[in-house]
Amino acid sequence: MEREHREIDGGIEEYAAGLEAGAEPDHDAADPAPLRRAMEGLRRHIYLEEEFIFPPLKASGLMMPVFVMLREHGELWDAMSGLDDLLATGANASVIQTACQDLLLRLDAHNSKEEPVIYPQADAQLSDEATARLHDFLADGRMPDGWKCEKATR
């Protein structure tokens, strides 16, 4: 799970670096593919946490940390929707760069809580069956079409 965090951050950072390079003469506009892959990966990551990890943790009594994670997932989801809109409308590179930096800051704050609190609890609380389902999904699972995280407003 933490590896996915690094891969997602890396895709956003790669795109943001391309935007910065694109501001220099003789450079083409940044290729949005790394950003799109990162956001697709983040949406899938949020799905697996909300569907596979959070329910057993809530059932074990870890309500407040899960609530915080759900709220932050909604904020991340909405930030990604905003980035989708910026890309679709061909917004100015500096505006997109700012949105990417905002997403990275949100991810850093989120992951700095999730990794030391949620993941150790998941390791301790998930049943063998739930862990197997999670590993199967990590290997090749797809988020259902149209799925949206619980607290997303967009």
Side-chain angles (χ1 to χ4, degrees):
M1 300 287 293
E2 291 177 25
R3 178 184 52 78
E4 285 192 352
H5 285 173
R6 305 304 159 248
E7 290 171 358
I8 290 162
D9 291 350
I12 300 165
E13 290 164 351
E14 179 182 345
Y15 175 70
L19 280 176
E20 194 170 312
E24 299 171 10
D26 301 326
H27 284 86
D28 294 326
D31 177 8
L35 177 62
R36 291 188 192 283
R37 279 192 304 275
M39 291 195 306
E40 180 180 324
L42 180 53
R43 286 181 174 109
R44 179 184 177 271
H45 187 86
I46 289 171
Y47 169 79
L48 74 88
E49 288 177 349
E50 292 195 11
E51 295 295 321
F52 294 90
I53 295 175
F54 293 173
L57 293 183
K58 284 197 297 192
S60 75
L62 202 67
M63 299 294 285
M64 187 53 74
V66 169
F67 176 78
V68 170
M69 295 294 102
L70 290 169
R71 180 181 47 79
E72 290 180 1
H73 280 178
E75 293 169 357
L76 291 165
W77 197 277
D78 292 345
M80 288 187 288
S81 294
L83 265 165
D84 286 334
D85 293 345
L86 292 173
L87 291 172
T89 61
N92 179 289
S94 67
V95 172
I96 297 173
Q97 177 84 350
T98 299
C100 286
Q101 293 307 316
D102 176 68
L103 181 58
L104 285 167
L105 289 171
R106 289 175 186 275
L107 282 168
D108 183 57
H110 178 77
N111 295 344
S112 70
K113 291 178 276 215
E114 188 170 69
E115 291 174 3
V117 176
I118 298 296
Y119 292 166
Q121 286 298 316
D123 289 341
Q125 299 294 330
L126 265 63
S127 68
D128 291 343
E129 179 184 332
T131 300
R133 287 182 48 236
L134 175 62
H135 285 268
D136 288 346
F137 185 85
L138 279 167
D140 60 10
R142 290 184 39 113
M143 184 176 79
D145 290 338
W147 186 88
K148 188 166 95 170
C149 76
E150 183 177 315
K151 299 290 184 184
T153 61
R154 298 184 53 164

